[in-house]
DNA sequence: CTCAATCATGGAAACGTTTCCAAGAATAGC
DNA sequence: GCTATTCTTGGAAACGTTTCCATGATTGAG
């Protein structure tokens, strides 16, 4: 009887509900969890009290007892990168609908933050994990990940023992490079993310493949992986343009990097498509509305997020079965605009 | 003794640690929580076992007992909006550093998702809440919020009883409008977000104020709040341009909306700055690199996120004191580029 | 009409921590 | 050298659920 009259400043517990309704705690739990074997009258009586008291179950207690936290971890290097934020947005929508809450962990490319997040995932007994593209040479992180027995999906990333959802960056890189080669370009610069991140790795592979198929050598000096942040692309582009054998075409990421590249072109007095051809990867307002508009390799970011979320939910439901870990690929699409031309005759 | 030998597939608990170290559970807890009154030898012995077993405390149990979840809620309408994602990114960094995990709730402007998220905040006993700009006419949400006794910060939003961090959208709207009026414009269209969202409300207020100070009437037909998503600005701009008294200047948001506006101008054969002047709110790559570059009202998004996070942390630490709920304003800055001119003589 | 099966409910033991309290050991004050 | 304090540790009671088990009531089969 001690808790029949709940003190006003304390949130009501399931015992308060049980006491006020004159039933047992277990009945309240059963009703709240829609279990069978509960009479309609009991249900009505309990729900009335629940509403009156504004009872809301304490999810930590639920998690402790039932071993499900209804929480999904989402590890991403940089949520302010529009490529990621669009995928996260779509995934969150899908997971929210299924009753899960997303826990965000932005790693900012630091391995120490990655391992810290994995630790948080373990302590909080999260139910699943979405792992976005990141540096796959981080060994501490990889080994921390290996100890994690948890449904997991890689997004533009390979995760041992887990399926991944990816855009076909290799195919995209191939298509774009082949297109430029077809126009007659022989020195094509590729500005992409760090080499150890899957999309970049794949992109470079596609770039090489296109060269090989055309019987051309690859000049690795033209492949310039960019470190994150700042407008580092700027100096790389300047260096290339001012070098002995400047490129006649540039492939760059469509995010901030494209803006840096355009700055670099401008400050070297070089115009596209007349002086140099330009293709970007990842469609943006800037690519669409620059003058001339920039030909772009694009793919469906939201769809990747959605598929990743759905696949994760399936794996959570199916438990240990469904060990199909084949990657799911989404196609890229090349949008031709007006930023490319045949290279200048010497 | 029953649990001295932990079964391999179960995660070790604090009892396992205690048993293996031959000490009491409470000692382990004390050591782990860095409490005073623990001898160095005990500390060393326990930590050795903790490391060997790979023990990680179950945060649900901690939350249940200690009434702190180390979790911050983050309610935002749309995480894929770059304005929001940059603020969230900065806030997350600050909160992560303090040991908190961010729980993301994207509401997509739906009140039902807002109230659902508040419910999640309550059930999970989150320690604080970051509330980003949203429709302030949502009454169910507002009343749900009122029952929430929890440190809370509004970001570009007013929250009763809580401080807010905001850009000075009113001042910014005023400055931009005054600038255009100064150039001679008398019909200035304002395309902004929904009227019930604070930044828009304030912006419109600044816009009116500039008109009033100049002794001009405000034609409310020129103020066009835009519903979210899609390129709705497109049809509004077309309608204005084709109307009887088209505007000679347009103020628009710098996000996707700017692209829509540019499309609308293009498809009506109208060029800026010669035919019409253009200013956007919120700096983007597009605004910087469009030709001509677009004059922009900007402010420090990351700083807003950081300040919001820090203020929230203070409030969590200070408990019920520190009831200073005055809003913190950040200034806007007008960047003059090449998108404005005096209006055409008739 | 009886016995077995099912239904509806209650009681109590978990889940894995933290924290309160008690108690013995060590230290300090005089 | 004795008492009053402070240190160090252990035991046990919470925290608020879910779930297992037991029990009485109801139903169904023959």
């Amino acid at each position: 009887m001690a808790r029949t009259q709940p003190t006003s400043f304390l949130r009501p517990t399931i015992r308060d509900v049980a006491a006020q309704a004159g039933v047992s705690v277990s009945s309240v739990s059963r009703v709240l969890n829609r279990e069978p074997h509960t009479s309609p009258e009991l249900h009505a009586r309990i729900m009335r009290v629940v509403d009156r008291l504004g009872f809301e179950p304490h999810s930590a207690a639920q998690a402790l007892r039932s071993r499900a936290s209804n929480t999904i971890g989402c590890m991403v290097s940089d949520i302010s990168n529009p490529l990621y934020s669009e995928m996260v947005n779509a995934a969150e929508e899908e997971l929210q609908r299924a009753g899960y809450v997303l826990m965000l962990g932005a790693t900012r490319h630091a391995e120490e933050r990655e391992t810290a997040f994995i630790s948080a995932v373990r302590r909080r007994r999260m139910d699943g994990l979405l792992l976005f593209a990141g540096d796959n040479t981080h060994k501490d992180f990889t080994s921390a990940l290996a100890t994690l027995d948890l449904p997991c999906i890689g997004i533009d990333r390979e995760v041992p023992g887990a399926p991944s959802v990816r855009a076909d960056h290799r195919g995209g890189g191939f298509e774009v490079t082949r297109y430029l080669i077809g126009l007659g370009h022989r020195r094509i610069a590729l500005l992409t993310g760090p080499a150890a991140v899957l999309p970049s790795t794949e992109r470079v592979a596609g770039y090489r493949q296109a060269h090989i198929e055309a019987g051309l050598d690859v000049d690795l000096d033209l492949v310039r992986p960019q470190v994150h942040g700042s407008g580092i692309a700027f100096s790389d582009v300047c260096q290339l343009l001012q070098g002995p054998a400047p490129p006649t075409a540039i492939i760059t990421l469509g995010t901030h990097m494209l803006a840096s590249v355009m700055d670099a072109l401008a400050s070297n007095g070089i115009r596209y498509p007349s002086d140099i051809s330009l293709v970007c990867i990842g469609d943006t307002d800037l690519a669409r509305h620059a003058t001339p508009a920039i030909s772009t390799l694009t793919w469906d970011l939201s769809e990747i997020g959605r598929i990743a979320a759905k696949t994760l939910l399936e794996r959570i439901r199916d438990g240990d079965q469904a060990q199909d870990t084949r990657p799911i690929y989404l196609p890229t699409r090349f949008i031709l605009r007006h930023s490319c031309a045949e290279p200048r005759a010497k």
Side-chain angles (χ1 to χ4, degrees), chain A:
Chain A
M1 287 295 277
R3 291 290 301 278
T4 300
Q5 199 81 286
T7 27
S8 65
F9 49 88
L10 283 178
R11 311 266 283 275
T13 75
I14 198 173
R15 316 183 90 92
D16 297 320
V17 175
Q20 295 258 331
V23 300
S24 76
V25 166
S26 36
S27 293
V28 178
S29 176
R30 270 189 296 261
V31 164
L32 255 29
N33 293 296
R34 294 182 178 63
E35 280 182 24
H37 308 318
T38 58
S39 69
E41 310 86 63
L42 193 76
H43 183 96
R45 182 140 59 109
I46 290 177
M47 289 315 287
R48 204 157 33 233
V49 178
V50 165
D51 288 343
R52 179 155 53 80
L53 260 45
F55 168 71
E56 289 173 305
H58 191 315
S59 60
Q62 293 181 310
L64 181 57
R65 180 63 238 228
S66 68
R67 343 199 65 115
S69 63
N70 290 312
T71 289
I72 303 290
C74 173
M75 197 188 96
V76 55
S77 60
D78 174 11
I79 185 69
S80 70
N81 182 324
L83 262 47
Y84 293 136
S85 68
E86 190 164 337
M87 293 192 278
V88 171
N89 186 50
E92 198 268 352
E93 178 160 17
E94 213 60 51
L95 295 170
Q96 187 181 83
R97 187 175 312 164
Y100 289 91
V101 170
L102 208 72
M103 287 227 179
L104 194 64
T107 62
R108 292 170 194 84
H109 313 282
E111 181 165 21
E112 128 211 14
R113 293 207 197 83
E114 294 175 345
T115 52
F117 187 66
I118 292 302
S119 171
V121 168
R122 299 174 62 97
R123 303 163 101 96
R124 301 185 112 92
R125 308 293 199 269
M126 298 189 194
D127 299 323
L129 182 57
L130 252 28
L131 280 174
F132 283 84
D135 191 318
N136 53 42
T137 61
H138 287 177
K139 293 303 172 202
D140 286 355
F141 169 69
T142 309
S143 61
L145 194 56
T147 68
L148 203 59
D149 180 25
L150 185 97
C152 186
I153 306 286
I155 297 173
D156 275 342
R157 162 173 220 140
E158 248 168 6
V159 179
S164 56
V165 184
R166 332 180 181 173
D168 178 17
H169 296 294
R170 180 191 295 246
F174 176 78
E175 183 178 2
V176 167
T177 310
R178 190 181 53 179
Y179 164 73
L180 289 169
I181 290 175
L183 280 178
H185 293 278
R186 292 297 174 268
R187 293 192 58 75
I188 304 167
L190 175 57
L191 295 137
T192 179
V197 176
L198 186 69
S200 297
T201 318
E202 295 281 292
R203 206 125 57 209
V204 173
Y207 170 92
R208 300 183 82 127
Q209 194 185 336
H211 279 78
I212 291 168
E213 289 199 4
L216 299 172
D217 284 339
V218 174
D219 180 355
L220 280 182
D221 188 51
L222 292 171
V223 177
R224 299 284 179 121
Q226 302 296 307
V227 181
H228 316 275
S230 61
I232 291 205
F234 185 87
S235 59
D236 258 348
V237 173
C238 290
Q239 196 190 321
L240 284 168
L241 292 176
Q242 293 157 12
T248 62
I250 296 181
I251 305 171
T252 173
L253 292 187
T255 44
H256 285 325
M257 202 184 282
L258 171 61
S260 287
V261 170
M262 291 176 74
D263 283 337
L265 293 184
S267 59
N268 281 273
I270 289 184
R271 313 193 56 174
Y272 72 92
S274 53
D275 303 326
I276 203 166
S277 290
L278 196 54
V279 172
C280 80
I281 293 168
D283 206 13
T284 58
D285 285 333
L286 176 55
R288 280 184 290 267
H289 290 273
T291 35
I294 296 166
S295 296
T296 300
L297 187 71
T298 187
W299 61 95
D300 193 336
L301 291 164
S302 296
E303 185 68 4
I304 291 191
R306 266 191 301 273
I307 293 180
K310 283 181 182 167
T311 311
L312 182 60
L313 289 172
E314 274 172 27
R315 281 179 88 83
I316 291 174
R317 291 203 194 93
D318 295 356
D320 277 344
Q321 295 106 283
Q323 291 302 1
D324 182 0
T325 63
R326 282 173 300 182
I328 299 168
Y329 284 100
L330 271 80
T332 56
R333 193 164 55 88
F334 185 43
I335 304 173
L336 211 49
R337 296 203 266 244
H338 312 101
S339 58
C340 298
E342 294 177 7
R344 289 216 144 141
K346 290 197 183 169

